[in-house]
Amino acid sequence: MTHSLEDDLALALRLADAADAESLPRFDSAGLEVSLKADRSHVTEADLAAERAIRELISSERPHDAVFGEEYGASEEASRRWVIDPIDGTANYLRGIPAWGTMIALEVDGAVVVGVVSMPAMGRRWWAADGLGAWTNSLDSAPRRIGVSPVDTLEQASISFQSLGQWRDAGRLDALLDLQEQVWRDRAYGDVWSYMLLAEGRLEFVGEFDVKEYDVAAAAAIVREAGGRFTSLEGGESLTTGSAMASNGVLHEEFLRALRSRASRA
């Protein structure tokens, strides 16, 4: 059965509703169950419950689609695949910091065509579908279309870099520090929120390492539909290289050159 992008986007928004219904009531709860995964990262009962809720609805509505999620892995391959991070920013979530969100993307034949990011503790949601634009709303406000900024010089640019530790561990800290000297403002807003700020035109660059496809797929769909670019930090289009870089598009090549310049001198 063929589904329109509008139908798929509507389902993705319902998937976000189902995830929010599991994650938000558990947020900042004194009794929240937290454990460590094999990679020593944290997982909470909310991560697991949110992903289960998403998977159950996909199974009911799109039984032939594949699913790849952070907590329960990948199902059988199919031309259509949902890519899920039930709670991006789990460290924030378990510390009672509201900057966390559910990320839901749909890939068709390997290309991300739908993305939804829901941050219920902040009362915000963003979404996009190929050719349909990027949108946001807050609480019960009407949806509004969003777009990246027109800033065209590094001297006016504001950047977000996730964490110094990530860049240090990747051997690229010096490149980041050099870039920081060339831009107007630098902050580490962190996780998916940085990408949404960029899609709204509030930042010009987001870069991070040690990411999986489910960490960035939904963000990539939204940033691209907002008029920005989303690549690896080496400039490739794949979302599976382990690094991610988003920009307002205008400055993308300049950011890449600035980072490569320092790397070539190292």
Side-chain angles (χ1 to χ4, degrees), residues 7 10 45 70 72 86 89 103 116 138 144 151 201 211 232:
D7 289 342
E45 61 179 294
E70 178 175 9
Y72 292 102
M103 304 179 70
V116 172
S138 56
R144 61 181 176 86
V151 169
V211 292
S232 72

Side-chain angles (χ1 to χ4, degrees), residues 6-20 57 82 104 114-118 125-128 135 137 143:
E6 289 87 350
D7 289 342
D8 287 328
L9 177 57
L11 174 58
L13 292 166
R14 289 172 55 210
L15 296 174
D17 290 340
D20 290 354
L57 189 51
W82 296 88
I104 299 164
V114 171
V116 172
V117 170
S118 186
R125 185 174 288 186
W126 299 260
W127 62 92
W135 301 80
N137 66 0

Side-chain angles (χ1 to χ4, degrees), residues 127-242:
W127 62 92
D130 193 20
L132 301 180
W135 301 80
T136 189
N137 66 0
S138 56
L139 299 176
D140 296 324
S141 66
R144 61 181 176 86
R145 193 160 187 169
I146 58 175
V148 296
S149 85
V151 169
D152 60 1
T153 65
L154 292 184
E155 292 81 6
Q156 296 177 301
S158 183
I159 68 172
S160 181
F161 54 82
Q162 188 70 345
S163 78
L164 293 176
Q166 271 194 355
W167 286 72
R168 180 199 62 226
D169 293 346
R172 302 290 294 278
L173 180 57
D174 287 343
L176 175 64
L177 295 177
D178 273 6
L179 178 61
Q180 175 267 328
E181 293 289 342
Q182 300 175 60
V183 300
W184 169 56
R185 198 163 189 260
D186 63 280
R187 290 292 186 272
Y189 295 102
D191 303 307
V192 67
W193 191 34
S194 294
Y195 295 107
M196 299 304 97
L197 291 171
L198 186 142
E200 290 186 349
R202 308 182 195 282
L203 299 174
E204 284 68 54
F205 168 94
V206 179
E208 63 177 324
F209 293 92
D210 193 27
V211 292
K212 306 293 192 299
E213 189 175 3
Y214 47 71
D215 294 313
V216 295
I222 295 168
V223 166
R224 288 167 177 167
E225 276 298 302
R229 281 191 64 189
F230 203 108
T231 68
S232 72
L233 276 152
E234 304 304 323
E237 300 296 326
S238 173
L239 301 180
T240 63
T241 64

Side-chain angles (χ1 to χ4, degrees), residues 89-104:
T90 296
N92 285 342
Y93 185 93
L94 62 87
R95 293 295 297 270
I97 299 169
W100 53 270
T102 294
M103 304 179 70
I104 299 164

